[in-house]
Amino acid sequence: ASARESVQDVGTRGAETGQSQVLSWREFADLVPMSALVQDEPRELKASGRLHWLHWVVIGLSLLLTFGAWQFAKNELHEKVERQLARESGQVVQLVQERMRKYEDALWGGVALWDTVESDLDHGRWLAYSRSLRLESKYPGINGIGVIHPISREKARSHEAAQHDWWPKFKIYPEHDQEALFPITFIEPVESNSKAVGLDMAHETNRLTALLKARDTGEAQITGPIVLVQDAEQTPGFLF
C-alpha cells in the first residue's frame, strides 16, 4: 500500500506542477520495496517445479521405447550369433567329412592293391604304395597307414618269422584271450610307428569291434577315441 501511495504521490505532484516525471529504475526501486516485486516468485517456482501428468507420460514412453529398442537389439545380436555359429559349424563339419572321405579313399586304394596281389602283398609293395600316397602333404593328420593280417594262433610263430626279413624284431603282442589274432603287419612310415608293428588289434574291445564290423560289412569303420601306442604325447586319436 505504501508503495502504491508513494507512486501516486509522485504522480499527483507531477500533475499539480504540470510536469511529467520520468523515474529511473533506481528511483522506482526506492519507491517500490523489493518484496512487492518478488512476492509472487515462490509460487511460480513451486508451480514450475511440479511435473505435469503429460511429462510423466513422455518419460514413461521414453523408457518403454528405450527398453524395446534394447530388447530388439539384443534379440538381433543373439540371432546373428546363432546364424554365424550354425554357418561356421556346418563348414567345419563339411571340412571334416571331406577329410574323412580322402582318408577312406587312401584305404580303398590299399584294398585294391591287396585284391590285386592277394597273398603276394609284402612289405616292399606296401612301402611303395604308401610312398605314392605322399601322406604328409596330401593326407595331413594321418599318422600312418598299415595292413592287418587275420591269423590263427597256430600260425602266429610262422607269421612272425615271415616278417623278420624286413623287421627282425617283429613280434605279435600283447597277450589276450581272443581266439583269432589281428596283428598290424605293415605300417608306414615305420620310423614314427615302430611301436605299432605287431600290435594285435584283438587285445582291446574298441579296436576289435570296429575291425570286425569293417570285415563283416565291407565298409570303412572308425574306432572310438583311443590313445595310439606310438604317440608319445598320448593324444587321443582313432583308427580308420
Side-chain angles (χ1 to χ4, degrees):
S2 59
R4 288 194 294 271
E5 291 172 359
S6 298
V7 174
Q8 292 174 357
D9 291 343
V10 172
T12 302
R13 287 196 300 270
E16 292 174 353
T17 58
Q19 299 175 347
S20 61
Q21 296 184 357
V22 178
L23 299 180
S24 66
W25 170 252
R26 178 172 295 180
E27 291 173 333
F28 182 78
D30 291 340
L31 294 174
V32 181
M34 292 302 296
S35 61
L37 296 175
V38 302
Q39 61 184 351
D40 291 335
E41 290 185 4
R43 186 182 300 110
E44 294 175 357
L45 291 174
K46 184 176 181 180
S48 63
R50 291 195 297 267
L51 292 177
H52 193 269
W53 66 268
L54 182 60
H55 298 159
W56 287 110
V57 172
V58 172
I59 293 174
L61 290 176
S62 299
L63 292 175
L64 183 62
L65 289 174
T66 301
F67 177 78
W70 171 79
Q71 189 68 29
F72 177 79
K74 178 183 177 182
N75 292 338
E76 283 291 308
L77 179 60
H78 182 70
E79 292 178 0
K80 181 179 179 181
V81 171
E82 284 189 341
R83 289 194 299 268
Q84 183 177 358
L85 178 61
R87 181 173 62 255
E88 293 182 355
S89 60
Q91 292 174 349
V92 171
V93 171
Q94 184 177 2
L95 290 173
V96 171
Q97 290 175 339
E98 292 177 356
R99 178 70 61 84
M100 298 306 294
R101 281 193 291 268
K102 288 185 64 177
Y103 291 172
E104 187 174 354
D105 289 342
L107 293 178
W108 283 117
V111 172
L113 176 61
W114 179 290
D115 292 340
T116 301
V117 300
E118 294 183 355
S119 60
D120 292 331
L121 180 61
D122 56 16
H123 177 257
R125 286 190 173 92
W126 189 253
L127 176 61
Y129 172 72
S130 64
R131 286 178 175 174
S132 70
L133 293 175
R134 291 181 291 175
L135 293 177
E136 292 184 0
S137 59
K138 295 183 63 176
Y139 299 92
I142 291 183
N143 288 350
I145 184 168
V147 175
I148 298 173
H149 281 93
I151 61 175
S152 63
R153 288 187 173 273
E154 292 76 14
K155 295 182 178 180
R157 302 287 78 85
S158 61
H159 184 77
E160 291 175 342
Q163 312 310 318
H164 288 167
D165 290 341
W166 77 274
W167 197 253
K169 52 185 178 182
F170 186 95
K171 180 177 177 57
I172 299 174
Y173 80 101
E175 294 290 339
H176 58 79
D177 298 330
Q178 299 294 332
E179 294 183 4
L181 306 179
F182 296 91
I184 299 176
T185 303
F186 309 134
I187 187 168
E188 294 295 334
V190 70
E191 293 79 12
S192 57
N193 293 283
S194 59
K195 290 185 177 181
V197 176
L199 179 68
D200 191 345
M201 299 287 286
H203 84 281
E204 191 260 325
T205 303
N206 189 0
R207 290 173 168 87
L208 181 60
T209 300
L211 185 149
L212 294 178
K213 188 174 182 180
R215 182 197 65 183
D216 297 339
T217 63
E219 297 179 354
Q221 303 294 327
I222 300 177
T223 67
I226 61 173
V227 176
L228 302 177
V229 295
Q230 63 270 41
D231 186 3
E233 300 297 328
Q234 300 293 294
T235 307
F238 61 89
L239 295 177
F240 196 176

